[in-house]
Amino acid sequence: MGKLETKRLLLLEYNLEWIQATIAGVDELERVSGYEVSRDWPGIDFFFYLPYVLENVKKEPEMTKWTHLIVLKEENKVIGEIGGQGKPEETGEIELGYSIVPGYQNQGYVSEALMELLAWLQVQPEIKRIFARSFETNTHSIQVLKKAGFVYQPDQDKVESRGRIVLWEYPMNQGVS
């Protein structure tokens, strides 16, 4: 895939070299990618997930096509990430996640990136199911999912030590505008 583009954003495949650079530090990612990187990226959750991503991508390099850095074209700057986890090639399912650094939140960037990614995912033959999870208290994330057309699945709620996690599913026969 490589790159998706919206009016304001580039969604760039998060390749092995860039994953390794991120682990080494933001300056290294800037050097190898050619993009400025927000000093608030990656967030702590995504950063601690990176070694797991790195090991999986080393074993299965094709997995990089499911995760993308979000670049604000106007500033040529990485401001977040969006993508999926799981093994869609085997299961037909992809669980989406996304994050935008605080200084760029509430400006529609996640919604814009999500709509573009959904349009691309719907034409991937291996994708049969798209879903996302969120803490029920994360109203911003839930608002993004609703806006994109995801449907809440109340029978899939899970309670964990940090709170209730709710599941949202994207109806695959729905067109993306």
Side-chain angles (χ1 to χ4, degrees):
M1 178 197 89
K3 171 176 86 170
L4 296 171
E5 189 168 352
T6 70
K7 182 178 180 184
R8 303 181 297 168
L9 306 172
L10 294 175
L11 305 182
L12 303 174
E13 188 173 317
Y14 195 34
N15 63 51
L16 176 62
E17 182 182 23
W18 290 6
I19 295 167
Q20 292 170 323
T22 304
I23 291 170
V26 168
D27 291 336
E28 182 65 8
L29 179 58
E30 287 182 338
R31 187 186 71 72
V32 301
S33 72
Y35 293 95
E36 184 180 348
V37 179
S38 170
R39 295 298 163 190
D40 294 327
W41 189 87
I44 193 156
D45 289 340
F46 190 67
F47 184 77
F48 282 111
Y49 181 63
L50 283 176
Y52 169 79
V53 172
L54 178 61
E55 290 310 308
N56 284 335
V57 167
K58 283 181 178 178
K59 290 181 219 166
E60 300 177 60
E62 68 279 2
M63 294 299 292
T64 62
K65 78 179 193 179
W66 305 116
T67 300
H68 308 85
L69 297 185
I70 300 172
V71 173
L72 182 60
K73 291 192 299 190
E74 179 179 81
E75 298 180 24
N76 206 41
K77 180 189 273 188
V78 174
I79 61 169
E81 77 283 336
I82 188 167
Q85 60 184 357
K87 293 190 174 188
E89 295 88 349
E90 294 175 15
T91 65
E93 299 182 338
I94 190 162
E95 179 178 355
L96 297 184
Y98 42 79
S99 177
I100 294 286
V101 297
Y104 293 88
Q105 292 176 354
N106 301 313
Q107 297 178 51
Y109 296 128
V110 168
S111 292
E112 188 173 327
L114 180 58
M115 295 306 287
E116 186 67 21
L117 185 63
L118 285 169
W120 179 77
L121 286 171
Q122 287 187 88
V123 299
Q124 302 309 303
E126 59 266 70
I127 301 295
K128 308 294 183 232
R129 179 176 181 237
I130 301 170
F131 65 99
R133 291 188 173 103
S134 174
F135 283 102
E136 71 178 346
T137 55
N138 189 343
T139 55
H140 290 294
S141 184
I142 289 170
Q143 181 181 359
V144 166
L145 294 170
K146 285 180 179 178
K147 182 178 178 183
F150 281 75
V151 178
Y152 173 52
Q153 306 295 311
D155 59 327
Q156 300 292 314
D157 286 3
K158 292 182 180 179
V159 177
E160 294 187 356
S161 60
R162 292 174 42 194
R164 180 178 300 276
I165 298 174
V166 294
L167 186 134
W168 295 78
E169 188 158 344
Y170 188 76
M172 287 298 291
N173 58 354
Q174 174 177 311
V176 177
S177 52

